[in-house]
Amino acid sequence: MPTYNLNVNKKNHTVEADENMPLLWVLRDLLDLVGTKFGCGIGQCGACTIHLDGVASRSCLMPISSVGDAKITTIEGLSEDNSHPVQKAWKEVDVPQCGYCQAGQIMTASAFLEDNPSPSKEEVRSAMHGNICRCSAYNRIEEAVNLAAKM
Amino acid sequence: METTNNTISFNRRSFIKTVGLSTGGLMIGFTLFEACKPDSKVLLDLETLNYKDFNAFIKIADNGMVTIYSKNPEIGQGVKTSMPMLIAEELDVPWEHVLVKQADLDTTKYKGQVAGGSQSIRSSWMPLRQTGATARQMLINAAAIKWGVDPSECYTEEGIIKNSRNEKLSYGAVVSEAALLEVPENVKLKDPKDFKIIGKDIKNVDIDKIISGKPLFGLDYKVEGMVYAVSLRPPAFGQKLVSFDDTEARNVNGVTDVFQFGDKVAVLATNTWAAINGKKALIAEWSSDEKLMSTEEHDLELTNLFDSDKLKAVRSDGNIDRAKNSADKVIEYTYEAPFLPHSCMEPMNFFAHVTDAKVELAGPIQTPEGTARQVAGLLKRDIETVHLALTRIGGGFGRRLIGDYAVEAAEISNISKKPVKLVYTREDDMAGGFYRPIVKYKISAAIKNSKLVGYHLKETAVGSSINKSRASYFPAGCIDNYKVEAAQLPSEITTGPWRAPVCNFLATAEQTFIDEIAEELNQDPVKLRLELLEKAKKNKADLEWSPERMIGVIKLAAEKANWGKSKEGVYQGFSVYYSHNSYVAEVAEVVLKDNKPVVTKVYCAVDCGIVVNPLGAKNQIEGGIIDGIGHAMYGEMRFLKGKPQSLNYDSYRLIRMMETPLVETYFVDSNEDPTGLGEPSLPPVGAAISNAIKAATGQRYRIQPYLKYMEEVIEVVS
Ligand code: FES
Ligand code: FES
């Protein structure tokens, strides 16, 4: 099996994996970074969202062989101490119900706000549209993104 | 302490268990709280005690930190926060000093470790408060002995015991003495007006872990040497495995084993991806699906059942036939809803490690006790040797009341003799469901002299049935001639409880029908509901629910939504329902965008008694309403010869951000004991939106998912 060098959360890792193995499973099963979640495996729910060179990406559809030397950030690497504005806003608003989708929501929101620091309400809704929350905590997700934008 | 609702009932004997320590015969009477003081000799000994025999909810450390165990499964309904709040309140400690831990399954310590029916808070309200209050009294008693004063001269404040001489002792300073004391009976509980924690906005106890991606969920659970398993199951309900070829599967890199068990084939691998690919590479032959039913046939058969002798009366008041025969007019409509999968965000999964000595289980399950018993039965083990650890649960909605996947994990571990994590892909999860039953309601109303004099509801469904209790919800008791009948259609398709079982569509049908009656009578739908409830009050009908409380939420919702006075272009729909011991009224607002109705806002009034944690409670209400709208608009699972037709989110639509309305929630001020909130906001919303859509478009939708039928109409119009 081929070997890959990955930069995840500013650390270098060497992993041996099938070239088609999605980054999601590399992170979860091989690197023990289980914060990135499996929801659908087909790019529909956003639970597996990570940042690839700062861009929100679906790790379930990304073969390890396509990552190259792009820098990967997962929920575990968003901040050391939950100090990222999106994390702070999530806590302030008390967003989660079951919590399972939230890593993906936070990763989508943080990349989005990086690009668009003062979005309109409609832009926030459309940016978060790709992330399913089965518990339907959408009102609070929206509120937290708006709050983070102000932080 | 004996309580009627059997959540915990410990009597003095079990409470003051006297335990012999192996070291030198020291006898310790030990109770529901353990002292943890890691650097103290005595307390280290306490740590090595076999706690199995105690009712352990609380640990107090010398520095005053309190650990409270939350016994029930946390599926997103918030009990891991709200149940410990009840203990902390009566223990009288500041919430900031409380650390909450999830308790494992332990039938000797806890009773009723279940998440279902929105009953956790209702059934824990008194027992958990008594647990906290009893511990507090024992701490007071220990301090009183130290001071040589009467306990009545002592009181507590935020984890400190004080007396009239101005002396102070922290809980941590007396915990080991307190643990040895007699357990007092009939301790006094706080007056609700003195609550410091209950009724306050308390954040999710796992919030820091959730937002930083810490391992919390079943799917995150790992042990050394664990292998991952994915199973191939029959594609159609009712099919059997004839044969399979695993040559290709075994060639997949990472696959370590493949074997058949029952009608399934397990693929074991060193990682999930390899197991998924191994499964894909299996070639299986299944028995014929010729005789298996498709949704068209379910549909037809359910309609036929309405006129069959299979209908059985569930409740009957007065004489419905006479009322219909002598009516000026009888109106009748049929309401229909499809099968629904649960679609929990975290797919089904479970960890199992079966060895000769014991069985270790860990994962997301709403019924840990029943599941552990099932595993013990299957493996012919003593239940004492089955240990089940509860993880945080990525959504339940009723699916995880059924532990089939945990049992399957145990089977696979038993055969492979390895620690195994069984993982369902999304496709496995949607195809291996215990679906919300497909159901139809035919309801008729007898009208005489512009009054509703008879109400007749017939239910036909696969695998579920309105029971006597539900047949007695509103409008039972409000109409003199009232009858509910039900018939079931047998099917190979497995069905089960789905958030607010039965009520999730029964409420939609009935609350839509009430509006249709109002239209017929040319009456305001809110007024009609209030009039009916006045009748129930006057009749002094023997009901498990209170017409007064239902009137309360109706009035509150109507007032907050400005019922009848909405802005130009905003159309409102009303609905109210009692279920799971709570009362919820909702007003949905719909506007037309490009001729299509869009739900923009829902006002919600709730009476759930005392609101334990308003912050968490609102989250539940919002979630239930938006979930209800999503499934009413889009949700449908169809079957073709027993095979589920939607296997992932590309072909199964869930509600998303841009379709989400704003929810505004109001609670009725109440001193009644609290009732649950995980479910009750969902049932009324289907009718609230269908009634609002009717107001907006003139079109009445009686079949879910509404969008499917709406698109047909819109196509015809344009
Ligand atoms: S798991 Fe990647 S989008 Fe759903
Ligand atoms: S909080 Fe449960 S899926 Fe979003």
Side-chain angles (χ1 to χ4, degrees), chain B residues 317-332:
Chain B
D317 306 341
N319 188 330
I320 190 65
D321 294 333
R322 203 182 310 142
K324 277 185 180 173
N325 288 335
S326 61
D328 301 334
K329 187 166 187 188
V330 174
I331 60 167
E332 179 173 89

Side-chain angles (χ1 to χ4, degrees), chain B residues 384-650:
Chain B
E384 306 293 310
T385 65
V386 180
H387 179 253
L388 191 151
L390 282 165
T391 58
R392 195 176 172 84
I393 302 176
F397 311 107
R399 173 61 182 88
R400 290 189 234 259
L401 288 165
I402 299 141
D404 57 318
Y405 51 97
V407 174
E408 192 173 311
E411 262 182 294
I412 296 172
S413 174
N414 187 43
I415 296 169
S416 64
K417 302 285 170 230
K418 288 208 166 61
V420 168
K421 162 76 81 46
L422 172 69
V423 179
Y424 278 47
T425 61
R426 177 56 56 195
E427 290 78 6
D428 295 340
D429 188 282
M430 292 189 78
F434 286 79
Y435 307 91
R436 192 280 298 276
I438 187 171
V439 59
K440 296 190 186 208
Y441 293 102
K442 185 180 266 195
I443 321 181
S444 51
I447 291 164
K448 196 177 172 94
N449 300 328
S450 297
K451 288 267 172 280
L452 174 63
V453 294
Y455 183 97
H456 189 183
L457 179 140
K458 297 180 191 173
E459 177 197 69
T460 60
V462 165
S464 111
S465 177
I466 185 171
N467 56 16
K468 206 163 173 91
S469 156
R470 290 183 187 114
S472 304
Y473 291 176
F474 179 83
C478 307
I479 305 158
D480 295 336
N481 304 293
Y482 174 94
K483 188 169 187 181
V484 172
E485 296 174 281
Q488 290 204 44
L489 176 68
S491 169
E492 304 275 5
I493 295 164
T494 49
T495 55
W498 191 101
R499 197 176 199 172
V502 181
C503 301
N504 54 44
F505 190 67
L506 174 62
T508 303
E510 295 201 293
Q511 287 293 312
T512 307
F513 189 65
I514 295 286
D515 262 46
E516 308 220 43
I517 298 171
E519 260 169 54
E520 187 62 42
L521 297 175
N522 225 337
Q523 212 182 352
D524 176 80
V526 172
K527 265 210 196 108
L528 173 62
R529 286 171 174 86
L530 290 172
E531 260 180 42
L532 289 169
L533 286 160
E534 284 303 330
K535 177 116 199 213
K537 262 167 68 181
K538 220 174 76 210
N539 286 354
K540 298 210 171 29
D542 181 24
L543 300 164
E544 75 164 66
W545 53 278
S546 144
E548 285 84 357
R549 292 179 75 180
M550 191 173 267
I551 290 171
V553 289
I554 290 176
K555 289 190 170 161
L556 183 61
E559 177 208 315
K560 294 294 177 188
N562 239 329
W563 173 256
K565 294 180 223 96
S566 61
K567 283 197 221 97
E568 177 83 22
V570 178
Y571 302 89
Q572 295 184 320
F574 199 90
S575 181
V576 61
Y577 208 63
Y578 159 86
S579 72
H580 306 86
N581 313 98
S582 295
Y583 302 78
V584 182
E586 290 165 10
V587 175
E589 290 192 340
V590 159
V591 300
L592 291 172
K593 280 189 191 149
D594 308 327
N595 258 334
K596 287 188 194 122
V598 176
V599 185
T600 51
K601 189 159 183 177
V602 177
Y603 295 88
C604 179
V606 183
D607 183 350
C608 59
I610 292 170
V611 184
V612 174
N613 181 8
L615 187 65
K618 278 193 192 135
N619 219 350
Q620 292 308 301
I621 301 291
E622 289 167 13
I625 288 174
I626 299 166
D627 178 7
I629 294 174
H631 282 92
M633 293 297 286
Y634 319 122
E636 177 177 37
M637 176 64 92
R638 297 182 72 82
F639 292 85
L640 186 66
K641 293 195 191 302
K643 275 188 222 57
Q645 296 298 291
S646 305
L647 294 181
N648 208 323
Y649 298 144
D650 51 349

Side-chain angles (χ1 to χ4, degrees), chain B residues 110-121:
Chain B
Y110 313 109
K111 283 194 179 156
Q113 287 186 276
V114 175
S118 295
Q119 295 302 311
S120 293
I121 280 292

